[in-house]
Amino acid sequence: MKALTLFGILVAGAISIGVLYSGDSQPALKDVFKEQFMIGAALNDAVVSGKDVNAAEIVTKHCNTITAENVMKWALIHPEPNQYDFAAADRFVEFGVKHKMFIVGHTLVWHAQIPDAAFTDNAGKLLNREAMLVRLKDHISTVVGRYKGRVKGWDVVNEALTDEGEFRDTKWRQTIGDDFVAKAFEYAHQADPDAELYYNDFSLEKPAKRDAVVRLVKDLKAKGLRIDGVGIQGHWGMDYPTRENFDAFVDAVAALGVKVMVTELDLDILPSVSDYQGADVSMRAELQKKLNPFPDSLPDSMQQVHANRYAELFSMLVSQSKNINRVTFWGVYDKTSWLNNWPVPGRTSYPLLFDRNYQAKPAFDAIVKVVQK
Ligand code: XIL
């Protein structure tokens, strides 16, 4: 009996090691964090179209959810008022279906990456409320309707609020009014009653913005509208957010009965532009050097600092995992991260878990250790 039990333990142990370390010594993040949250990445077209096979391999190994980095944004999927272009979005959705991933559509309503013509008539005049609502409904029912049943969750509205907690002054607001948010949620639910619907924004850890999101969610619920979650983008830095502000945000949103997701995680280790605001322009070349201090590679000591901060952030996420159901990285590996071009164009950035050669960085091991202590 005892021998049998010991044998059982050995077999179970071997199987679980086999699952975590299938083929090589690197565990799959979706298995490592299985008890906590889904793990995802934002994908560009090269990843899903077969042009970037190595990146696709990273994604299929580590992720159980994916988000469209650009191809579902208005400018790409609906470039002219009377013209839709679904080719790239279709490829993205097919990739997710093929690999049985939870597919997130990003994003239906945003002030950026949308042509000016989306808001005007043929004569270039801003549309009135009624006409803009018709256009919004057409866009949402067309896009959500096309992927009904396959895209499981939508970032319905992105970045509608300022850091001060006001509605951002955008053409959405100028044409429709503040209830463009509610209207977008209403139309999205009509187009796919089973899809989860999210509000997505950055800097939600700031108290004024947190309070505004709480008001927004309450308002949508009071109107009887469906909202399943709030996505906190998570373009984080070495000293923000603080754990205290993050916890306060997650607790406030969870108390409303909606999910919290980290939807666009990356960790910037480069100097912030604001540190050099007002710097003498005659120092331009020197300024460029300061803002792009590691054009060739990140020194080991900095890798470690980056890894430690990632571990700190993941221990914060893990401790809130009952309220957080998804953590999605904004990109797959450093070479194609948007942070190589923003907020400073052309710098060499190191925000993700995989380096320019598709290799896992110290940050990868550091976050795995958070749950495999
Ligand atoms: C970024 C993409 O990563 C870039 O490729 C694109 O040029 C600009 O947009 N917040 C969002 C994302 O919600 O859609 C943005 O994605 C990054 C900031």
Side-chain angles (χ1 to χ4, degrees):
M1 184 64 197
K2 259 201 189 138
L4 257 186
T5 319
L6 184 63
F7 179 70
I9 290 171
L10 285 176
V11 170
I15 289 173
S16 58
I17 288 170
V19 167
L20 286 179
Y21 293 87
S22 49
D24 54 49
S25 61
Q26 187 187 69
L29 293 178
K30 64 184 176 192
D31 297 327
V32 172
F33 293 100
K34 197 166 65 208
E35 304 295 323
Q36 282 81 22
F37 27 68
M38 291 188 277
I39 294 286
L43 308 187
N44 58 37
D45 193 44
V47 180
V48 300
S49 67
K51 284 197 200 94
D52 195 344
V53 180
N54 295 332
E57 257 176 36
I58 292 178
V59 174
T60 50
K61 172 165 179 173
H62 295 287
C63 299
N64 41 20
T65 170
I66 54 172
T67 302
E69 182 173 359
N70 285 300
V71 298
M72 289 177 154
K73 291 172 181 170
W74 197 301
L76 287 95
I77 206 168
H78 192 175
E80 312 269 347
N82 294 315
Q83 183 206 328
Y84 285 91
D85 181 355
F86 297 114
D90 285 357
R91 282 194 286 276
F92 163 79
V93 173
E94 276 156 27
F95 181 93
V97 169
K98 180 171 165 204
H99 297 290
K100 301 189 169 48
M101 290 161 165
F102 185 93
I103 305 174
V104 179
H106 173 87
T107 173
L108 298 170
V109 173
W110 192 24
H111 60 276
Q113 290 182 277
I114 179 166
D116 285 343
F119 298 99
T120 58
D121 61 17
N122 288 340
K125 204 170 142 265
L126 215 56
L127 296 179
N128 65 23
R129 171 178 166 89
E130 280 63 42
M132 195 62 216
L133 282 175
V134 169
R135 205 168 267 183
L136 174 64
K137 188 168 184 178
D138 168 72
H139 178 84
I140 291 181
S141 59
T142 305
V143 175
V144 175
R146 185 177 182 91
Y147 302 111
K148 187 168 184 259
R150 291 180 288 162
V151 169
K152 302 289 185 192
W154 281 98
D155 288 340
V156 178
V157 176
N158 195 31
E159 303 182 353
L161 299 166
T162 66
D163 284 7
E164 291 71 42
E166 307 289 332
F167 275 105
R168 198 189 274 272
D169 191 23
T170 63
K171 288 194 176 142
W172 287 112
R173 202 178 169 208
Q174 289 158 21
T175 51
I176 297 176
D178 290 348
D179 69 340
F180 76 87
V181 177
K183 287 292 178 190
F185 276 83
E186 181 188 324
Y187 299 154
H189 184 56
Q190 279 167 11
D192 184 355
D194 294 327
E196 294 194 348
L197 306 180
Y198 317 129
Y199 176 74
N200 195 55
D201 212 328
F202 61 88
S203 295
L204 296 182
E205 309 87 347
K206 293 189 175 166
K209 212 164 181 180
R210 172 193 71 214
D211 294 347
V213 165
V214 167
R215 284 197 298 275
L216 189 80
V217 172
K218 279 188 179 160
D219 179 55
L220 293 174
K221 289 194 155 229
K223 290 190 163 91
L225 295 166
R226 172 169 184 166
I227 172 162
D228 296 273
V230 175
I232 182 165
Q233 290 185 1
H235 297 296
W236 284 336
M238 302 309 291
D239 54 9
Y240 65 90
T242 64
R243 191 172 189 139
E244 193 189 359
N245 285 352
F246 178 78
D247 280 343
F249 173 78
V250 175
D251 293 342
V253 169
L256 304 172
V258 300
K259 296 175 194 169
V260 178
M261 295 148 301
V262 179
T263 55
E264 306 186 9
L265 180 58
D266 44 28
L267 174 56
D268 199 352
I269 194 171
L270 298 183
S272 123
V273 194
S274 56
D275 292 347
Y276 296 100
Q277 247 157 26
D280 185 351
V281 249
S282 64
M283 307 277 285
R284 222 181 146 72
E286 203 163 308
L287 195 62
Q288 282 297 334
K289 239 193 199 159
K290 281 189 176 142
L291 288 172
N292 188 20
F294 313 114
D296 303 319
S297 68
L298 194 64
D300 287 349
S301 58
M302 295 298 280
Q303 290 280 11
Q304 210 43 59
V305 172
H306 188 246
N308 293 346
R309 175 64 176 151
Y310 250 117
E312 193 171 83
L313 290 171
F314 265 76
S315 85
M316 177 179 96
L317 296 173
V318 165
S319 74
Q320 277 282 6
S321 61
K322 71 173 190 315
N323 296 318
I324 297 176
N325 76 327
R326 169 162 67 90
V327 175
T328 294
F329 290 87
W330 203 244
V332 181
Y333 65 125
D334 286 343
K335 191 175 169 187
T336 53
S337 163
W338 75 303
L339 291 178
N340 293 302
N341 292 305
W342 190 91
V344 181
R347 59 180 182 174
T348 311
S349 206
Y350 303 87
L352 296 166
L353 301 181
F354 293 87
D355 70 15
R356 284 175 163 65
N357 298 314
Y358 306 98
Q359 301 305 306
K361 295 165 32 174
F364 180 98
D365 298 325
I367 68 162
V368 169
K369 276 202 198 106
V370 170
V371 286
Q372 292 192 345
K373 270 196 207 117

